[in-house]
Amino acid sequence: MNMKKIALITGATSGIGEACARKFAEGGYNLILTARREDKLAQIKQELESFCTEVKILVFDIRDAEACKNAMNSLDENWSKIDVLINNAGLALGLEKEYEGDLEEWSTMIDTNIKGLLTMTRLVVPGMVKRNDGHVINIGSVAGDAAYAGGNVYCATKAAVKAITDGLRIDVAETAVRVTNLKPGLVETNFSNVRFRGDNKRADNVYKGIKPLTGADIADVAFYAASAPKHVQIAEVLILATHQASGSVIHREK
């Protein structure tokens, strides 16, 4: 194995996660990519290895803490020295009013967006602390700053990501480990398709009349944060499309 830095990216088969994989591969990192879809992970691995990047794929559901542990324990000594952890795996489901929401969908969001992020942090960060080096980049959201109509539980999970990120930064302040919360606004990925359970027409309307961000835009910011000088910690970045002012204020062209 060549002696490049290693980035571990969760939810790496689409959207921001896949874009981060491509950006960090171009930037000279070896990669550990995790997701549930083995076929897509294998495809991305093949593509990225053309950058002379070594790619390890781990197939598991981040909601399953035991599967997370087993996957991480399968890494040998070289692969386990992770320099950058990008906690990207996450999703939104539905836009129903809180009193009409689906209990199972709430559990899926909480187990993925909060508990999955915590599990991976717990498994990776002790090694960073021991080596006194490393960087955790959590993908939060503008939705974590203030609730919007129908966002209720999803917004709560991203508010939790902010609090968890801030708490971790406090906990590692005596070390050289850096902690970043990236808060994207409107990003055109499969996010809305998942939220609306495959209703492509409804998903397309989310981006109607505005030029949204792309996964690559967020990956650029993540790579910038990871590339900053060691004494610089990019603690939090809010990234919005030009015509988006907040989670709920968007100007759309007619």
Side-chain angles (χ1 to χ4, degrees), residues 13-55:
T13 52
S14 64
I16 293 171
E18 182 179 358
C20 284
R22 297 184 186 283
K23 182 68 179 182
F24 278 75
E26 292 169 5
Y29 280 73
N30 287 331
L31 301 173
I32 302 170
L33 305 181
T34 88
R36 292 175 296 173
R37 297 167 53 194
E38 185 172 8
D39 56 340
K40 181 65 173 176
L41 280 174
Q43 177 188 335
I44 295 171
K45 170 182 168 72
Q46 184 176 22
E47 291 177 21
L48 295 187
E49 285 181 338
S50 65
F51 292 106
C52 298
T53 292
E54 293 188 43
V55 181

Side-chain angles (χ1 to χ4, degrees), residues 142-221:
V142 63
D145 288 346
Y148 54 76
N152 44 75
V153 174
Y154 173 70
C155 292
T157 66
K158 290 304 183 177
V161 170
K162 173 177 169 51
I164 290 165
T165 307
D166 290 346
L168 179 62
R169 193 180 305 110
I170 293 167
D171 290 340
V172 300
E174 64 186 15
T175 77
V177 177
R178 300 183 292 182
V179 184
T180 299
N181 182 24
L182 298 186
K183 304 188 301 184
L186 203 61
V187 184
E188 188 168 12
T189 63
N190 68 339
F191 176 88
S192 292
N193 301 75
V194 172
R195 163 166 262 175
F196 298 125
R197 310 172 187 92
D199 186 336
N200 292 331
K201 183 176 181 180
R202 193 176 178 192
D204 289 344
N205 283 335
V206 173
Y207 312 108
K208 191 173 181 179
I210 185 172
K211 183 176 177 61
L213 301 167
T214 67
D217 295 325
I218 310 308
D220 285 345
V221 180

Side-chain angles (χ1 to χ4, degrees), residues 107-119:
S107 292
T108 297
M109 287 188 279
I110 291 167
D111 290 348
T112 305
N113 301 359
I114 301 176
K115 293 168 70 176
L117 180 149
L118 282 170
T119 299

Side-chain angles (χ1 to χ4, degrees), residues 126-134 172 174-177:
M128 293 181 173
V129 171
K130 184 177 180 180
R131 296 189 302 275
N132 196 35
D133 187 48
V172 300
E174 64 186 15
T175 77
V177 177

Side-chain angles (χ1 to χ4, degrees), residues 47-68:
E47 291 177 21
L48 295 187
E49 285 181 338
S50 65
F51 292 106
C52 298
T53 292
E54 293 188 43
V55 181
K56 172 82 72 174
I57 60 174
L58 298 176
V59 183
F60 61 89
D61 188 334
I62 203 166
R63 295 175 295 173
D64 184 340
E66 200 61 34
C68 295

